[in-house]
Amino acid sequence: MRLKEVNKFDKKMFSFCCCSIGLFVILLCLNPGLTTFYKTVTVPMSYAPLRRISEKVITGDIYIGGKNIVIHLNKHFDIQLNSTIGPKKNSKMCCPNIPRCDSEVMMDNYVDVLQFIPRRKMVLMCGTLQQGLCYFLNAHRVSEKEKFYTEKRQNFVGSEKGTIFIPYKTDQVERYFIGRSWDGRNEECTFPEFSFMDIHNRSYDHHEQWEFQNTTRFSSIEICEEKRRNTSTHFLYGFSTNHSVFSIYTQARHSSNGMLFETKISRICKNDKYMRSFNEVVLECNRHNIATAAYYREAQEDSSLYVAFGISMTSTEASRNDSAVVCQYTQSDIDTMFKNLITFCFNNADALSPPDWSNCNAESKLCDNSVQVNSF
């Protein structure tokens, strides 16, 4: 397999043009005679799609993960090395520490988490095979890797349904929020959906040198096993602020009117050792209920979260045949949502927080107080 570097030049005369889309007006203005230059790296179709990109900020090196491949580029966008990570034999029914699994078949390995970890000076890579088991890749030679401990399910981070990995700091120590979407794997290989984690070096074991550990004994929240299959929780995006970590996910839940398909945002305090500060709020945008993309823009005055929505009444996947919108939520809007939620919960005896999916022992009402915000 060979990757190609391509330089593309295009010299054209451009005129002033305007394009109006919905409530947006996109204005493109290029000077006559302007030379556009961009450098690309082409990948054979067998390694597409490319799904994850991470940067080593101090050097500008770029790491790209796709189907069965990790690519390392330098700051000049020149290929340094690539590493093939699949296809391999795999089964969702077997944890990676089992020496023999009769249900194994050849499967592609999609990079689900790719993150340069400054403290370890290596690249964390978690694919979709081996229950999402993670590896550390050498930042200079990505073909050299160090394995995470296969005996502990907290090291199974990657998911076919998507995982979010959010570095954050408390007391100047870097830690990680992980949101894991359940992808139908064996429950013995399943770790709680929401967790605060550290990365520890198992220096006494040179074969499986690394492992994730909860920041405290209680720093995880899971959807109970009986409800996990029906909630269809899919993590989409996450971000952190000075005091909290937020995650965005789509989810299904039962109601008196049947099955509801929603987008939610959760908030957990960074310094929470017991996850007791966990709360979630339903996000909606002009009757559009299923988030498809999100981005958080930090600003000095008031940061904003932008979320793209579609519509679906039958699943947590947006319909391709319906309209789409984008909503802007300022950080003040988000803080108000959670303030109103807490007030609502305290004033209503029937409301429940934490949410009903954390308890399978009884039917309960969701503490729900959704807020409408600005849409585009």
Side-chain angles (χ1 to χ4, degrees):
M1 190 279 297
R2 183 172 181 177
L3 303 179
K4 297 180 181 179
E5 299 177 38
V6 182
N7 291 333
K8 295 185 179 180
F9 298 86
D10 188 12
K11 297 182 178 179
K12 291 183 178 180
M13 299 291 289
F14 291 91
S15 61
F16 184 89
C17 64
C18 296
C19 180
S20 176
I21 302 178
L23 298 179
F24 281 110
V25 176
I26 300 176
L27 190 63
L28 175 64
C29 180
L30 298 177
N31 295 326
L34 178 66
T35 300
T36 60
F37 165 79
Y38 56 96
K39 194 172 186 179
T40 68
V41 174
T42 61
V43 178
M45 187 179 298
S46 59
Y47 293 97
L50 300 178
R51 298 170 32 140
R52 298 291 183 265
I53 299 175
S54 182
E55 181 186 11
K56 183 180 178 181
V57 176
I58 194 171
T59 63
D61 284 37
I62 300 292
Y63 304 91
I64 304 171
K67 183 175 75 173
N68 300 321
I69 195 170
V70 176
I71 306 165
H72 175 204
L73 310 175
N74 65 13
K75 65 179 181 180
H76 303 295
F77 218 57
D78 300 318
I79 297 173
Q80 302 301 291
L81 195 66
N82 62 78
S83 176
T84 302
I85 60 172
K88 295 179 180 179
K89 285 188 174 182
N90 184 70
S91 172
K92 281 186 180 180
M93 296 300 104
C94 299
C95 296
N97 60 326
I98 297 176
R100 179 181 174 84
C101 182
D102 295 332
S103 60
E104 284 186 333
V105 295
M106 291 298 293
M107 298 178 67
D108 292 318
N109 193 10
Y110 294 87
V111 175
D112 190 38
V113 173
L114 192 68
Q115 181 78 39
F116 178 76
I117 306 296
R119 182 183 174 190
R120 303 300 180 182
K121 300 180 181 179
M122 289 187 286
V123 180
L124 178 71
M125 190 281 295
C126 314
T128 54
L129 299 188
Q130 296 182 288
Q131 309 293 1
L133 180 69
C134 294
Y135 293 81
F136 262 138
L137 308 182
N138 186 309
H140 303 286
R141 295 186 60 83
V142 291
S143 58
E144 298 178 3
K145 57 185 180 182
E146 298 178 8
K147 196 175 186 179
F148 275 63
Y149 189 35
T150 58
E151 296 288 336
K152 295 293 183 67
R153 58 184 184 143
Q154 66 261 29
N155 299 317
F156 309 154
V157 173
S159 167
E160 291 181 1
K161 298 296 185 179
T163 297
I164 58 173
F165 185 88
I166 309 169
Y168 69 96
K169 285 189 176 182
T170 57
D171 301 324
Q172 301 303 312
V173 177
E174 184 170 87
R175 291 181 171 141
Y176 314 98
F177 171 83
I178 303 178
R180 314 174 199 224
S181 306
W182 187 69
D183 56 5
R185 66 185 61 183
N186 191 324
E187 286 291 340
E188 294 180 358
C189 314
T190 299
F191 195 75
E193 281 76 4
F194 302 82
S195 59
F196 285 154
M197 308 296 288
D198 288 325
I199 298 177
H200 288 259
N201 189 340
R202 305 175 71 249
S203 56
Y204 50 86
D205 185 347
H206 296 293
H207 298 288
E208 298 180 354
Q209 190 172 348
W210 301 95
E211 71 174 335
F212 283 101
Q213 291 184 1
N214 284 94
T215 54
T216 72
R217 182 181 175 184
F218 307 99
S219 61
S220 294
I221 298 178
E222 67 181 334
I223 300 173
C224 64
E225 183 175 340
E226 291 86 348
K227 293 186 178 181
R228 180 171 278 132
R229 293 180 181 275
N230 295 326
T231 59
S232 302
T233 303
H234 294 169
F235 285 90
L236 177 71
Y237 185 74
F239 61 95
S240 66
T241 61
N242 290 337
H243 304 291
S244 303
V245 175
F246 296 83
S247 59
I248 299 170
Y249 44 95
T250 57
Q251 197 174 73
R253 69 176 174 93
H254 289 282
S255 73
S256 58
N257 297 322
M259 206 69 172
L260 295 180
F261 301 92
E262 302 170 318
T263 297
K264 297 179 180 178
I265 181 171
S266 71
R267 183 183 69 178
I268 313 173
C269 296
K270 287 181 177 179
N271 293 322
D272 188 348
K273 297 179 180 179
Y274 304 97
M275 292 287 199
R276 290 174 179 168
S277 64
F278 180 96
N279 275 297
E280 62 178 11
V281 177
V282 176
L283 289 182
E284 296 175 342
C285 187
N286 291 355
R287 298 183 300 279
H288 291 69
N289 60 320
I290 301 298
T292 56
Y295 177 74
Y296 187 75
R297 180 181 62 85
E298 295 187 34
Q300 290 184 348
E301 292 185 0
D302 198 359
S303 300
S304 292
L305 171 67
Y306 300 90
V307 184
F309 286 88
I311 298 175
S312 178
M313 299 295 110
T314 58
S315 77
T316 54
E317 298 291 330
S319 170
R320 297 182 180 180
N321 299 320
D322 275 306
S323 60
V325 296
V326 178
C327 252
Q328 178 191 25
Y329 305 81
T330 67
Q331 187 61 52
S332 297
D333 290 331
I334 297 169
D335 294 340
T336 299
M337 289 182 200
F338 284 99
K339 180 180 179 180
N340 292 343
L341 174 73
I342 293 170
T343 301
F344 176 81
C345 290
F346 274 104
N347 291 336
N348 289 269
D350 291 335
L352 178 71
S353 182
D356 60 350
W357 47 251
S358 64
N359 180 12
C360 286
N361 295 326
E363 290 298 322
S364 54
K365 295 182 179 180
L366 177 69
C367 186
D368 175 15
N369 189 23
S370 55
V371 177
Q372 291 292 322
V373 296
N374 297 329
S375 63
F376 304 132

